[in-house]
Amino acid sequence: MSVQMAARPNDDPLLRVEGLSVSYPGGQPDQQTIHAVRNLSFVIAAGETLGIVGESGSGKTQSALSLMGLLPETALKAGSAIFAGRDLLSLDDGKLNQIRGSAISMIFQDPMTSLNPHIAIGRQMSRVLERHQGMSRRTALKVAAEMLDAVRVPDAADRLRQYPHELSGGMRQRIMIATALLCKPQLLIADEPTTALDVTVQAQILTLMHDLQHELGTAILLITHDMGVVAGLCDRVLVMRDGQMRECGSVNKVFYESQDNYTRELLAAVPRLDEVQPRRLAVVGDSEAEATADIDSRPVGDTMLTVDKLEVRFSAGRPGPFRPVQFLHAVAGVSLELGRGETLGIVGESGCGKSSLARGVLQLVDVHAGRVTLLGEELGMLDKQRLKQRRRQMQIIFQDPLASLDPRMTIADIVAEPLHTFFPTMSRTRQLVKVKAILERMGLEAGYMNRYPHEFSGGQCQRIGIARALIAEPELVICDEPVSALDVSVQAQIVNLLMDLQQDMGLALIFIAHDLAVVRHISHRVMVMYLGRIAEVADRDALYNSPRHPYTQALISAVPIPDPRVERNRDRTLLAGDVPSPLEPPSGCAFRTRCPLADARCAAETPGLRTAGESLVACHHA
Amino acid sequence: MNEAVRGNSLWADARQSLRRNRAAMTAMAIMAVVCALVLLAPLLSAYEFDSTDWDQISEPPSLVTGHWFGTDDVGRDLFVRTLYGGRISLLVGLAATLVSLVIGIAWGATAGYIGGRTDQVMMRTVDVVYAMPFMFFVILLMVFFGRNILLIFVAVGAVNWLDMARIVRGQTLSLKKKEFIEAARAGGVSNFNIVRRHIVPNLLGVVIVYVTLTIPQVILVESFLSFLGLGVQEPMTSWGALVNDGAQAMESAPWALIFPALFLALTLFCFNFLGDGLRDALDPRDRRASG
Amino acid sequence: MDGGAARLDAHAHTAQNRTMLSFAFRRFLSAIPTLLILIALAFALIRVAPGGPFDTEKQIPPEIEARLNEAYHLDEPLYQQFGRYLTGLAQGDFGPSFQYKDFTVTELIAAGFPVSLKLGGLAMLLALLVGISVGTLAALRQNSRTDHVAMAAAMTGISIPNFVLAPLLVLLFAVTLRWLPAGGLGDGSLINLVLPVISLALPQIAYIARLTRGSMIEVLRSDFIRTARAQGLPGREIILGHALKPAMLPIVSYLGPATAGIITGSVVIEQIFGVPGLGRYFVQGALNRDYTLVMGVVVFYGVLIIMFNFLVDLAYRWLDPRVKL
């Protein structure tokens, strides 16, 4: 049974949270109590959207979970959360179960793991209706199909029989939303609902949530780290840090007239897609960020890296006696050039082959076809010894800072490993002197040298990874999503560091990311990839100001901008559907299945790169 | 580097959390006592393991006669026999585990690191051998080639390596995909050094846990064979053989069953508990959660 | 519209059935080499074994030995013997027993197997029922007293081999308390099987309980269980409707090794309790050097285990929609 709202005066909020605290007492005597949330108070009115923003560890998710009674048993809760006259924090599971899924629903970050992989979608949905509305399974399935229609899932009736792994990420999140809305809740709690999705899919989901809210009048509590998402979707914002509220107010007030230092610094630390900040990114807690030369004033030297029609492919699945080997063409013929001291940004959604391109250039995966020439030498032709020597000149920085460091080695050993390899005769003392110097250059204390990776934060681990990449003084560094796993404030520090290092050492950088704003901030030139091919390459400002390829246009228009006035008045080109599987790319132009301009020619003919305006574009229509 | 702070390695963390695990620590203490008893057996009793005393047939345990665990049906002292039996059981356990360890690591690491077709062929072989009713083959071997301790080592070790190979391969495969291995490759580190410096140290935790859990399995197999009369030969004995003898005479002399059974079960119990404790201590996931 | 959807569904279903069938077929084909290797291995072992089957008898005149060898085809080249053996196997003929002169191995297996099947089947059933319930209970009350007691008991169960446990149980329930018979099948009533079945099942119960607890805890920690809780489903429905199926996957994969364990265990258990099953024939055959019988049992159990593993694979595939075909 769904809970009927008791009659209440109109000025009463839908949910009133007062003095909410969540803490975890340490299990062992030497462990301290962790205060995840401290004394948090806020209200949500019927039909409004409140955003809670904060970096990791700010307590935003813990607050939401506590409202739903989903905290682990070891958590201690205090305070009150009055919803429909009842205190959610003090209800037992039985009473809470009448509200959860019915009057209040929740959706989570990762739609793959949040749906049960073992149960058909229809069954997962119908259970909710059978439980809360006492429907028969038959009726419930019918209602579920209608709801899938409402969240624009095509062929809804068929979907009910499918399992989550058969669907794309965006489709799964739609199903999560549909399930959450089945009982027409008054409040929907959305915990980072688009963080695991590609940016074009994120735009679809955000638009969907916005539209549904208008249709159904559901209040939304949106938890996110992304200021752009807040700017587009929320009426009011609550900023959290270290478990406490820093500020709460209307979107405009918080974005334009913030009274709180941290909020202002956080906003300043986010790179903007729609403008070039001619300075270092502001760093949280460091208001005296000195002005550095903008990227444009940095000189670009002569060509040092040439990639010619590079192809990388992987065999997919196990070949068996009855199954032919299937190949996944991760990179299907990409050419590029890079000059000394230049930064080439590469952007694209998942499966576009940007990481495989990086590994192909570095000869870390087998190159199926094409040539990579570094400093005049073709890498594919080198023997093992020569290639090993060349590796000193090209290094890589990884996405997951902790995973890129061997957990059983000390920081000193990790950072010294390239010295070990490339200068085997160097004495241990010399090595340590160099390690110490580079750690200090990275802003780490040399005293950390004998510690192990798990004792450091993500940002610190990334600095260690950068130190390892730079200690043998390479000339080319490929950064594979180096800041995607980091919080905004840490991201700003790492981006600043990379830009400084580039200037000091004259490095050529390939900067791979899915975040278009960061790429704009750091790159001279930007390359957009789609399903293993180049869609468009151009100088940074040309690409962002007058994108030629319909995919580039859609990509740029999909990125939320952390500025409410701009964000709310944008015209969005929404792409349909998700990125197709790279295992079965569409014929002709790979983008045609989602392209608004596609015609018969696009299906028949693969477009080559040609000049259009200031860009090189692979599109028949650009 | 005087000013450098010494970090807590994963090993140190694991040692600490193992020390906090009371069950594992108790198990370790008991195992130490059992090992000491078994090693010092000749010094602890006036009796020989194979000397018969026709005046003391099937005597119950007694402090007076010095037959603390009683005697068997030919008047041999069961205390000494139990400890000597322990020597065989533990020896077989350790030696056969070593055999399976060497084969398993070599096989699994090779398959996992090389990958591709080699991996397929190697693991398919493991699958096939795995599907064999191996205990029956061991019995066949025993029957055909006589009871020979060495044969037991080889037979048991040669079968237990399968699990080891599977586990090591799985771990190697997942390690190979880790970014720190890729970083080492990008840094020009040779294959040999990658295995030596990065793969092996990271495999060690799993291997240690698995060794701790393999030893009791092997002891169990040896006891099983001895129980069927296919293990060690008289007058030498092992726990399994003693349990078998005891079971025959249990109505008249239950002590002949109870003491060896107790020692056998206690030893297996301790190994299993220690293995569990080590697994908890070395499991990196728990550390992530608390860190 | 509705009709169209239904047709689409039917279509999807037959497609699914077809992939399942082709998977079953492929998996079945891959079992054949394993079977052949098993038989060849057993065959080779027996042929290279020192001493022929008649060596244990007193001196036999050479012409009689030759006659015997001829009768049992021992004078033919090895590959012919192997071919003969394979052909026989295909027809369900394991050849004559060397020891029980009046019986064929097939007859002996036919006599012993039903007893062993009853014993093993009951033990397996008991192990699954008790093991899964105890494991689930312990997982739901993680770190409670119930959990600790159950897991300590399970650890004890794993650590006491069944050939140690069986005599101890007999000592307690048959010799001392006289509640249950100590051995034999008696009049064939089930009460005679109580002790053998329990001795056979206990280590498996313990193992399955630990396995279930571990996998259940793992599943209960997963995101989709949190989703189910957020949907307001009550605990019972979450366990039965969402958690049980994935939590059972490791148990299903363990069924193969469990069967092998129970078969192996039945060898000693039948010995201890004097149950006239296949395991007992095997041990007798091994001690008497009854080559054909021993080989027959090994091959028979080998085939059984391989077939069972095949069924387990199918079940796993059916339970986990994500497994690639």
Side-chain angles (χ1 to χ4, degrees):
Chain A
M1 288 289 290
S2 80
V3 170
Q4 294 303 313
M5 290 297 293
R8 56 183 168 78
N10 277 335
D11 53 333
D12 245 20
L14 182 63
L15 173 71
R16 177 185 293 281
V17 175
E18 256 162 47
L20 173 66
S21 295
V22 177
S23 61
Y24 293 89
Q28 302 290 340
D30 54 338
Q31 288 171 349
Q32 288 177 336
T33 300
I34 298 164
H35 295 279
V37 182
R38 302 179 213 221
N39 199 22
L40 181 69
S41 304
F42 62 88
V43 292
I44 300 178
E48 81 161 339
T49 301
L50 173 69
I52 300 189
V53 282
E55 300 183 284
S56 50
S58 64
K60 53 192 195 301
T61 297
Q62 292 289 318
S63 329
L65 291 176
S66 70
L67 297 180
M68 293 293 276
L70 294 176
L71 291 174
E73 276 169 29
T74 48
L76 295 178
K77 291 185 281 191
S80 67
I82 309 297
F83 178 84
R86 294 205 262 183
D87 181 7
L88 296 175
L89 298 185
S90 58
L91 290 181
D92 62 26
D93 260 12
K95 298 237 173 59
L96 212 49
N97 278 343
Q98 297 174 354
I99 298 175
R100 293 196 286 213
S102 153
I104 308 181
S105 300
M106 186 158 179
I107 57 177
F108 301 93
Q109 173 172 347
D110 188 345
M112 181 69 236
T113 60
S114 298
L115 287 168
N116 192 333
H118 303 273
I119 295 174
I121 282 152
R123 191 76 194 95
Q124 296 190 47
M125 295 183 75
S126 69
R127 275 221 171 86
V128 179
L129 287 167
E130 288 167 43
R131 182 76 218 159
H132 292 293
Q133 320 238 303
M135 286 183 189
S136 70
R137 189 180 299 187
R138 232 189 131 75
T139 334
L141 283 172
K142 232 175 123 186
V143 175
E146 283 163 15
M147 189 50 86
L148 286 185
D149 264 340
V151 297
R152 337 286 195 252
V153 171
D155 307 321
D158 292 346
R159 298 286 165 260
L160 294 178
R161 290 189 185 280
Q162 286 186 302
Y163 289 88
H165 72 279
E166 298 172 272
L167 302 169
S168 66
M171 213 46 93
R172 288 195 287 254
Q173 195 60 295
R174 282 168 197 270
I175 287 166
M176 278 296 292
I177 294 173
T179 314
L181 296 180
L182 279 174
C183 299
K184 309 270 184 299
Q186 288 151 328
L187 175 63
L188 173 69
I189 303 179
D191 184 8
E192 302 267 12
T194 57
T195 306
L197 304 174
D198 277 321
V199 62
T200 56
V201 181
Q202 162 171 296
Q204 297 166 8
I205 298 290
L206 290 177
T207 310
L208 174 71
M209 285 175 66
H210 186 256
D211 294 352
L212 286 173
Q213 186 176 29
H214 279 261
E215 285 166 33
L216 304 172
T218 312
I220 297 180
L221 177 60
L222 177 75
I223 290 151
T224 182
H225 68 279
D226 189 331
M227 287 296 191
V229 171
V230 173
L233 207 60
C234 297
D235 303 312
R236 289 190 305 125
V237 198
L238 191 160
V239 183
M240 283 185 81
R241 187 190 198 187
D242 296 335
Q244 281 168 310
M245 182 179 93
R246 296 301 299 236
E247 188 167 23
C248 184
S250 75
V251 167
N252 284 345
K253 201 166 151 260
V254 170
F255 274 77
Y256 303 123
E257 300 155 39
S258 171
Q259 299 302 305
D260 179 64
N261 273 339
Y262 172 72
T263 309
R264 282 201 306 269
E265 287 167 356
L266 200 60
L267 280 166
V270 187
R272 289 274 296 259
L273 181 73
D274 55 338
E275 59 188 45
V276 177
Q277 287 104 320
R279 55 179 167 79
R280 294 163 63 99
L281 289 172
V283 168
V284 173
D286 176 13
S287 47
E288 299 167 67
E290 81 246 51
T292 317
D294 173 42
I295 184 145
D296 290 332
S297 61
R298 288 182 279 145
V300 172
D302 35 322
T303 303
M304 55 97 65
L305 173 77
T306 315
V307 176
D308 187 25
K309 299 199 184 71
L310 188 76
E311 284 183 41
V312 176
R313 65 179 199 182
F314 303 104
S315 58
R318 270 214 231 184
F322 303 95
R323 198 182 306 116
V325 185
Q326 206 182 1
F327 285 106
L328 187 159
H329 289 264
V331 181
V334 168
S335 305
L336 59 90
E337 281 188 355
L338 187 67
R340 284 179 197 277
E342 188 186 13
T343 303
L344 173 68
I346 302 183
V347 291
E349 296 176 285
S350 53
C352 75
K354 50 194 195 295
S355 288
S356 302
L357 174 65
R359 282 155 182 75
V361 170
L362 293 178
Q363 310 285 310
L364 288 174
V365 291
D366 287 334
V367 170
H368 176 60
R371 282 194 300 270
V372 179
T373 313
L374 178 73
L375 298 165
E377 268 188 304
E378 195 188 327
L379 297 179
M381 307 298 272
L382 298 180
D383 62 30
K384 248 183 154 175
Q385 269 311 310
R386 301 271 300 180
L387 180 63
K388 183 182 149 187
Q389 282 311 316
R390 276 285 161 260
R391 288 202 183 285
R392 193 181 71 73
Q393 280 144 352
M394 46 184 199
Q395 283 296 317
I396 179 167
I397 299 167
F398 296 94
Q399 169 170 10
D400 184 342
L402 187 58
S404 67
L405 307 177
D406 187 335
R408 307 245 173 231
M409 281 166 71
T410 61
I411 301 313
D413 284 338
I414 290 170
V415 176
E417 188 160 53
L419 295 178
H420 221 71
T421 317
F422 298 121
F423 309 101
T425 52
M426 188 185 278
S427 74
R428 176 84 181 150
T429 336
R430 277 267 309 134
Q431 286 185 2
L432 288 180
V433 170
K434 292 201 85 160
V435 168
K436 199 173 151 187
I438 197 148
L439 285 179
E440 275 166 1
R441 177 70 189 84
M442 296 302 136
L444 293 165
E445 285 173 41
Y448 288 161
M449 278 171 61
N450 290 335
R451 294 190 168 221
Y452 291 85
H454 66 268
E455 300 175 274
F456 294 92
S457 69
Q460 286 172 319
C461 283
Q462 198 55 292
R463 286 167 195 267
I464 295 165
I466 297 174
R468 172 180 55 194
L470 296 184
I471 195 163
E473 296 173 3
E475 300 183 45
L476 165 68
V477 176
I478 298 188
C479 311
D480 186 8
E481 304 253 13
V483 292
S484 315
L486 304 175
D487 277 322
V488 171
S489 58
V490 184
Q491 164 181 308
Q493 296 168 12
I494 298 290
V495 166
N496 287 341
L497 178 66
L498 282 171
M499 289 177 78
D500 291 350
L501 288 167
Q502 177 176 42
Q503 199 161 35
D504 295 355
M505 303 174 68
L507 295 172
L509 290 181
I510 293 183
F511 190 95
I512 297 170
H514 62 267
D515 183 338
L516 280 86
V518 175
V519 170
R520 168 161 212 182
H521 183 76
I522 202 171
S523 310
H524 294 94
R525 276 189 306 138
V526 177
M527 183 166 116
V528 180
M529 287 183 72
Y530 190 79
L531 283 179
R533 294 175 197 276
I534 298 177
E536 181 168 2
V537 200
D539 280 349
R540 171 186 62 180
D541 292 332
L543 187 111
Y544 283 88
N545 294 336
S546 51
R548 292 296 179 140
H549 197 286
Y551 178 58
T552 316
Q553 291 164 0
L555 209 53
I556 289 172
S557 108
V559 177
I561 291 173
D563 185 331
R565 284 182 200 134
V566 177
E567 179 66 11
R568 279 158 200 230
N569 295 315
R570 284 170 86 195
D571 251 344
R572 276 236 150 84
T573 359
L574 275 187
L575 288 182
D578 289 60
V579 183
S581 158
L583 266 176
E584 291 151 5
S587 68
C589 173
F591 183 58
R592 69 177 165 83
T593 51
R594 302 171 75 197
C595 183
L597 307 176
D599 58 20
R601 187 179 167 209
C602 299
E605 230 181 285
T606 309
L609 274 182
R610 59 189 180 81
T611 313
E614 292 175 65
S615 300
L616 278 174
V617 190
C619 177
H620 297 305
H621 301 281
Chain B
M1 296 285 114
N2 295 340
E3 79 273 34
V5 190
R6 274 205 62 79
N8 265 336
S9 72
L10 293 180
W11 294 117
D13 284 6
R15 216 174 305 133
Q16 222 172 21
S17 86
L18 186 64
R19 270 207 209 105
R20 277 205 283 257
N21 184 335
R22 249 183 300 153
M25 292 316 282
T26 315
M28 211 138 62
I30 296 176
M31 259 161 56
V33 172
V34 170
C35 287
L37 280 177
V38 163
L39 284 175
L40 301 176
L43 305 176
L44 297 176
S45 172
Y47 299 97
E48 296 288 329
F49 79 96
D50 55 352
S51 67
T52 51
D53 186 347
W54 297 105
D55 300 331
Q56 302 273 346
I57 286 178
S58 297
E59 283 291 314
S62 147
L63 287 176
V64 183
T65 59
H67 293 301
W68 298 323
F69 290 178
T71 59
D72 65 10
D73 54 357
V74 288
R76 292 178 297 198
D77 179 62
L78 278 171
F79 176 68
V80 177
R81 283 186 73 72
T82 304
L83 296 191
Y84 270 86
R87 285 182 163 193
I88 297 290
S89 291
L90 287 174
L91 193 66
V92 171
L94 290 174
T97 301
L98 203 67
V99 173
S100 75
L101 187 73
V102 172
I103 308 180
I105 290 186
W107 195 275
T110 312
Y113 194 72
I114 297 180
R117 200 154 283 268
T118 319
D119 176 39
Q120 296 229 342
V121 171
M122 289 179 87
M123 290 332 278
R124 188 76 196 113
T125 313
V126 169
D127 288 347
V128 169
V129 183
Y130 209 84
M132 302 293 152
F134 96 90
M135 194 55 111
F136 292 86
F137 276 112
V138 174
I139 294 176
L140 276 186
L141 284 174
M142 291 295 137
V143 172
F144 298 149
F145 300 104
R147 303 157 195 184
N148 182 333
I149 289 222
L150 196 73
L151 197 61
I152 302 187
F153 289 165
V154 176
V156 176
V159 167
N160 264 294
W161 68 271
L162 296 170
D163 284 316
M164 185 55 106
R166 279 185 172 175
I167 289 170
V168 169
R169 169 185 174 267
Q171 285 288 319
T172 312
L173 273 182
S174 79
L175 277 176
K176 210 171 69 170
K177 279 189 221 128
K178 287 270 168 65
E179 288 180 334
F180 68 84
I181 299 292
E182 209 168 13
R185 296 210 301 131
V189 183
S190 66
N191 271 348
F192 177 75
N193 275 333
I194 287 180
V195 172
R196 190 177 60 91
R197 286 169 63 91
H198 298 289
I199 305 252
V200 171
N202 280 289
L203 278 178
L204 228 50
V206 185
V207 170
I208 289 176
V209 171
Y210 193 70
V211 162
T212 323
L213 294 173
T214 302
I215 294 175
Q217 275 178 31
V218 175
I219 294 180
L220 200 71
V221 172
E222 186 277 329
S223 315
F224 179 86
L225 291 172
S226 294
F227 180 86
L228 287 177
L230 297 166
V232 290
Q233 278 181 307
E234 290 281 335
M236 224 338 133
T237 193
S238 79
W239 284 335
L242 286 169
V243 169
N244 186 24
D245 295 345
Q248 317 272 335
M250 75 185 155
E251 295 192 35
S252 54
W255 56 87
L257 169 66
I258 287 169
F259 285 109
L262 193 74
F263 264 74
L264 175 57
L266 198 65
T267 306
L268 297 177
F269 196 69
C270 289
F271 269 112
N272 283 331
F273 252 118
L274 184 62
D276 259 23
L278 280 171
R279 177 160 37 203
D280 291 347
L282 292 166
D283 187 355
R285 254 194 324 183
D286 274 13
R287 194 163 303 107
R288 280 282 173 86
S290 65
Chain C
M1 167 70 206
D2 255 331
R7 219 173 313 126
L8 264 178
D9 281 351
H11 211 71
H13 263 250
T14 44
Q16 206 172 350
N17 287 341
R18 205 172 308 131
T19 53
M20 187 76 189
L21 263 180
S22 98
F23 170 76
F25 182 66
R26 272 184 283 130
R27 180 66 185 71
F28 184 77
L29 281 189
S30 76
I32 289 178
T34 315
L35 275 176
L36 280 179
I37 292 172
L38 165 80
I39 296 166
L41 211 62
F43 188 80
L45 265 182
I46 290 192
R47 295 303 131 140
V48 300
F54 313 114
D55 286 6
T56 45
E57 317 262 325
K58 51 187 183 297
Q59 202 62 29
I60 306 173
E63 53 288 7
I64 297 190
E65 195 183 336
R67 192 81 58 76
L68 273 172
N69 279 345
E70 201 187 312
Y72 288 106
H73 305 288
L74 294 179
D75 55 340
E76 292 174 2
L78 273 182
Y79 68 91
Q80 269 188 23
Q81 293 185 34
F82 186 58
R84 187 181 295 282
Y85 190 72
L86 273 185
T87 327
L89 278 188
Q91 296 158 358
D93 176 12
F94 288 89
S97 163
F98 282 150
Q99 209 62 41
Y100 302 86
K101 298 266 154 50
D102 300 332
F103 296 93
T104 65
V105 172
T106 313
E107 284 168 337
L108 290 174
I109 290 176
F113 183 60
V115 181
S116 295
L117 182 66
K118 195 166 165 190
L119 181 62
L122 284 172
M124 181 71 105
L125 215 62
L126 186 71
L128 286 174
L129 272 177
V130 181
I132 292 174
S133 329
V134 170
T136 309
L137 201 72
L140 293 182
R141 312 239 163 101
Q142 201 191 342
N143 292 330
S144 70
R145 186 171 289 262
T146 323
D147 180 25
H148 289 310
V149 170
M151 284 307 111
M155 190 60 108
T156 317
I158 287 180
S159 302
I160 302 186
N162 42 25
F163 58 86
V164 173
L165 183 73
L168 289 176
L169 287 181
V170 172
L171 191 60
L172 184 62
F173 291 105
V175 178
T176 312
L177 297 173
R178 299 191 176 284
W179 288 351
L180 293 163
L185 282 186
D187 54 358
S189 65
L190 274 183
I191 190 146
N192 297 289
L193 282 178
V194 171
L195 281 183
V197 165
I198 289 178
S199 319
L200 201 50
L202 261 182
Q204 303 298 337
I205 291 177
Y207 199 89
I208 291 174
R210 278 166 57 90
L211 206 58
T212 308
R213 173 181 182 270
S215 99
M216 189 58 102
I217 286 175
E218 184 91 32
V219 170
L220 287 178
R221 267 189 213 153
S222 55
D223 285 355
F224 61 78
I225 294 298
R226 188 182 58 183
T227 308
R229 290 179 59 207
Q231 288 168 347
L233 301 181
R236 231 181 75 94
E237 203 174 327
I238 291 178
I239 299 295
L240 295 179
H242 278 280
L244 199 60
K245 203 169 156 189
M248 281 306 101
L249 288 175
I251 314 297
V252 172
S253 345
Y254 178 66
L255 282 180
T259 317
I262 281 190
I263 289 177
T264 317
S266 71
V267 172
V268 276
I269 294 301
E270 288 174 13
Q271 194 78 355
I272 291 169
F273 290 98
V275 177
L278 203 46
R280 198 139 173 267
Y281 283 122
F282 177 73
V283 175
Q284 297 305 323
L287 294 174
N288 293 332
R289 306 192 150 213
D290 189 340
Y291 285 8
T292 41
L293 175 59
V294 167
M295 180 151 140
V297 176
V298 170
V299 169
F300 180 75
Y301 272 151
V303 172
L304 209 68
I305 290 174
I306 290 169
M307 285 301 132
F308 197 75
N309 278 329
F310 166 65
L311 292 179
V312 165
D313 266 18
L314 290 192
Y316 197 98
R317 161 71 188 87
W318 177 72
L319 273 177
D320 189 351
R322 289 170 306 174
V323 174
K324 276 202 205 131
L325 291 181

